[in-house]
Amino acid sequence: MRCRRALGFLAAALVLLAAACGDDAATSTTAASTTAAATTQATATTAVTTTTEATTTTTEATTTTTDEHPAWAVSWAALWPEDGATATYRVNLWGGGSLDLPARIEYGVEWQDGTWDRITIGTVAPGEWGVALYFARPEPWVLTIWGLEASAPGFQGSILEYSEEPGVLDLRGLPDGMARIDAGVIFDAGGGEAQQPMTGTYALSVVGLETVEVAAGTMEDAVHLNLNLGGEFFGAASPDEFTEVADIWILPGQLIVKWGRPAPNFESIELLSLWA
């Protein structure tokens, strides 16, 4: 995780200076007879000077942009599956039991008066097992989090868990410290009643690179993250107290490999078939 990548900048400048100077001299002498006075004719020397002006050519420096993380040689674009890609997750349910559910990722989905990216596991519909996660990627290594919609056989319709104002999770400062969101969290279980936001804190920190076993097999060099949960919404007595920790493992191209506590209806998920 300590791999650092230095950006290189290419700059070129060329200055050309040329000058030329030439000299030409000629002399002629005439000799008279013994009875005549000697006459000598001098021919003047003429100097010709030619000057070529200096020409300067400047090439502007160019900067190459990158979507790699400041601390890791990992491309932001390479982390994400293609639009419309599918996978399968093995889902462990609260209270016991497990299901194998299909997953799909979509970009640019209209939802709740906004445009979001969405990962859906299962089917979000009354009486069905499913969860849909909504977020946006405004720039590399920055996420805007809306929240989730979940359904299950025991729910009346679906429930929503989201931030009153979408929170921004800046991942560029990792692995040092935490990427943190403090938000007003709304839990809407339906029924048409007005919901009052409760304070909620989400803080993401890096544990390290690990090999993790999941239903799809052995995943090497997966990034292990801790999602620390706190605030009134999670029963904390102070803003800096964390009452729960959810473990997440991610892998470029496969995104979420394993995640504990991803949704109100799922205890954990792990990859069963790869994203493709």
Side-chain angles (χ1 to χ4, degrees), residues 39-53:
T39 301
T40 302
Q41 184 179 2
T43 303
T45 300
T46 302
V48 179
T49 303
T50 303
T51 302
T52 302
E53 294 183 358

PDB file of all heavy atoms in Angstrom, residues 39-53:
ATOM      1  N   THR A  39      54.581  56.192 -59.768  1.00  0.00           N
ATOM      2  CA  THR A  39      53.211  56.488 -59.292  1.00  0.00           C
ATOM      3  C   THR A  39      52.629  55.222 -58.651  1.00  0.00           C
ATOM      4  O   THR A  39      52.672  54.131 -59.251  1.00  0.00           O
ATOM      5  CB  THR A  39      52.287  56.911 -60.453  1.00  0.00           C
ATOM      6  OG1 THR A  39      52.864  58.077 -61.083  1.00  0.00           O
ATOM      7  CG2 THR A  39      50.908  57.235 -59.956  1.00  0.00           C
ATOM      8  N   THR A  40      52.156  55.352 -57.454  1.00  0.00           N
ATOM      9  CA  THR A  40      51.564  54.197 -56.739  1.00  0.00           C
ATOM     10  C   THR A  40      50.085  54.487 -56.462  1.00  0.00           C
ATOM     11  O   THR A  40      49.734  55.555 -55.961  1.00  0.00           O
ATOM     12  CB  THR A  40      52.297  53.945 -55.401  1.00  0.00           C
ATOM     13  OG1 THR A  40      53.673  53.728 -55.667  1.00  0.00           O
ATOM     14  CG2 THR A  40      51.711  52.745 -54.690  1.00  0.00           C
ATOM     15  N   GLN A  41      49.243  53.569 -56.889  1.00  0.00           N
ATOM     16  CA  GLN A  41      47.791  53.721 -56.674  1.00  0.00           C
ATOM     17  C   GLN A  41      47.333  52.706 -55.627  1.00  0.00           C
ATOM     18  O   GLN A  41      47.575  51.506 -55.781  1.00  0.00           O
ATOM     19  CB  GLN A  41      47.025  53.518 -57.991  1.00  0.00           C
ATOM     20  CG  GLN A  41      45.538  53.749 -57.843  1.00  0.00           C
ATOM     21  CD  GLN A  41      44.820  53.557 -59.181  1.00  0.00           C
ATOM     22  OE1 GLN A  41      45.483  53.206 -60.181  1.00  0.00           O
ATOM     23  NE2 GLN A  41      43.534  53.762 -59.187  1.00  0.00           N
ATOM     24  N   ALA A  42      46.774  53.214 -54.596  1.00  0.00           N
ATOM     25  CA  ALA A  42      46.294  52.323 -53.519  1.00  0.00           C
ATOM     26  C   ALA A  42      44.819  52.042 -53.710  1.00  0.00           C
ATOM     27  O   ALA A  42      44.037  52.927 -54.053  1.00  0.00           O
ATOM     28  CB  ALA A  42      46.535  52.969 -52.153  1.00  0.00           C
ATOM     29  N   THR A  43      44.499  50.862 -53.585  1.00  0.00           N
ATOM     30  CA  THR A  43      43.083  50.462 -53.669  1.00  0.00           C
ATOM     31  C   THR A  43      42.537  50.236 -52.258  1.00  0.00           C
ATOM     32  O   THR A  43      43.141  49.497 -51.474  1.00  0.00           O
ATOM     33  CB  THR A  43      42.930  49.163 -54.494  1.00  0.00           C
ATOM     34  OG1 THR A  43      43.496  49.382 -55.794  1.00  0.00           O
ATOM     35  CG2 THR A  43      41.485  48.755 -54.609  1.00  0.00           C
ATOM     36  N   ALA A  44      41.428  50.897 -51.956  1.00  0.00           N
ATOM     37  CA  ALA A  44      40.837  50.780 -50.580  1.00  0.00           C
ATOM     38  C   ALA A  44      40.257  49.390 -50.334  1.00  0.00           C
ATOM     39  O   ALA A  44      39.831  48.705 -51.262  1.00  0.00           O
ATOM     40  CB  ALA A  44      39.747  51.834 -50.401  1.00  0.00           C
ATOM     41  N   THR A  45      40.301  49.011 -49.104  1.00  0.00           N
ATOM     42  CA  THR A  45      39.735  47.715 -48.684  1.00  0.00           C
ATOM     43  C   THR A  45      38.312  47.934 -48.177  1.00  0.00           C
ATOM     44  O   THR A  45      38.064  48.804 -47.336  1.00  0.00           O
ATOM     45  CB  THR A  45      40.591  47.086 -47.583  1.00  0.00           C
ATOM     46  OG1 THR A  45      41.907  46.889 -48.092  1.00  0.00           O
ATOM     47  CG2 THR A  45      40.006  45.767 -47.139  1.00  0.00           C
ATOM     48  N   THR A  46      37.377  47.135 -48.707  1.00  0.00           N
ATOM     49  CA  THR A  46      35.959  47.245 -48.303  1.00  0.00           C
ATOM     50  C   THR A  46      35.570  46.041 -47.463  1.00  0.00           C
ATOM     51  O   THR A  46      35.777  44.895 -47.878  1.00  0.00           O
ATOM     52  CB  THR A  46      35.040  47.306 -49.539  1.00  0.00           C
ATOM     53  OG1 THR A  46      35.439  48.425 -50.353  1.00  0.00           O
ATOM     54  CG2 THR A  46      33.582  47.466 -49.123  1.00  0.00           C
ATOM     55  N   ALA A  47      35.006  46.275 -46.266  1.00  0.00           N
ATOM     56  CA  ALA A  47      34.568  45.190 -45.373  1.00  0.00           C
ATOM     57  C   ALA A  47      33.060  45.059 -45.441  1.00  0.00           C
ATOM     58  O   ALA A  47      32.335  46.048 -45.313  1.00  0.00           O
ATOM     59  CB  ALA A  47      34.990  45.468 -43.930  1.00  0.00           C
ATOM     60  N   VAL A  48      32.576  43.859 -45.692  1.00  0.00           N
ATOM     61  CA  VAL A  48      31.137  43.593 -45.779  1.00  0.00           C
ATOM     62  C   VAL A  48      30.736  42.707 -44.613  1.00  0.00           C
ATOM     63  O   VAL A  48      31.330  41.651 -44.393  1.00  0.00           O
ATOM     64  CB  VAL A  48      30.773  42.909 -47.114  1.00  0.00           C
ATOM     65  CG1 VAL A  48      29.265  42.628 -47.168  1.00  0.00           C
ATOM     66  CG2 VAL A  48      31.217  43.773 -48.277  1.00  0.00           C
ATOM     67  N   THR A  49      29.742  43.159 -43.867  1.00  0.00           N
ATOM     68  CA  THR A  49      29.286  42.396 -42.691  1.00  0.00           C
ATOM     69  C   THR A  49      27.823  41.975 -42.871  1.00  0.00           C
ATOM     70  O   THR A  49      26.979  42.797 -43.213  1.00  0.00           O
ATOM     71  CB  THR A  49      29.396  43.227 -41.392  1.00  0.00           C
ATOM     72  OG1 THR A  49      30.751  43.647 -41.244  1.00  0.00           O
ATOM     73  CG2 THR A  49      28.941  42.419 -40.178  1.00  0.00           C
ATOM     74  N   THR A  50      27.538  40.687 -42.685  1.00  0.00           N
ATOM     75  CA  THR A  50      26.171  40.162 -42.793  1.00  0.00           C
ATOM     76  C   THR A  50      25.735  39.630 -41.439  1.00  0.00           C
ATOM     77  O   THR A  50      26.464  38.841 -40.818  1.00  0.00           O
ATOM     78  CB  THR A  50      26.084  39.047 -43.843  1.00  0.00           C
ATOM     79  OG1 THR A  50      26.548  39.565 -45.096  1.00  0.00           O
ATOM     80  CG2 THR A  50      24.652  38.544 -43.984  1.00  0.00           C
ATOM     81  N   THR A  51      24.541  40.030 -40.960  1.00  0.00           N
ATOM     82  CA  THR A  51      24.044  39.581 -39.653  1.00  0.00           C
ATOM     83  C   THR A  51      22.732  38.823 -39.839  1.00  0.00           C
ATOM     84  O   THR A  51      21.828  39.287 -40.515  1.00  0.00           O
ATOM     85  CB  THR A  51      23.794  40.779 -38.720  1.00  0.00           C
ATOM     86  OG1 THR A  51      25.010  41.508 -38.576  1.00  0.00           O
ATOM     87  CG2 THR A  51      23.300  40.310 -37.357  1.00  0.00           C
ATOM     88  N   THR A  52      22.651  37.645 -39.254  1.00  0.00           N
ATOM     89  CA  THR A  52      21.408  36.852 -39.254  1.00  0.00           C
ATOM     90  C   THR A  52      20.757  36.969 -37.892  1.00  0.00           C
ATOM     91  O   THR A  52      21.384  36.695 -36.873  1.00  0.00           O
ATOM     92  CB  THR A  52      21.697  35.369 -39.560  1.00  0.00           C
ATOM     93  OG1 THR A  52      22.361  35.292 -40.832  1.00  0.00           O
ATOM     94  CG2 THR A  52      20.414  34.556 -39.589  1.00  0.00           C
ATOM     95  N   GLU A  53      19.484  37.401 -37.869  1.00  0.00           N
ATOM     96  CA  GLU A  53      18.804  37.599 -36.594  1.00  0.00           C
ATOM     97  C   GLU A  53      18.588  36.283 -35.875  1.00  0.00           C
ATOM     98  O   GLU A  53      18.354  35.244 -36.480  1.00  0.00           O
ATOM     99  CB  GLU A  53      17.438  38.275 -36.812  1.00  0.00           C
ATOM    100  CG  GLU A  53      17.543  39.708 -37.338  1.00  0.00           C
ATOM    101  CD  GLU A  53      16.173  40.329 -37.457  1.00  0.00           C
ATOM    102  OE1 GLU A  53      15.185  39.610 -37.170  1.00  0.00           O
ATOM    103  OE2 GLU A  53      16.101  41.514 -37.808  1.00  0.00           O
TER     104      GLU A  53
END
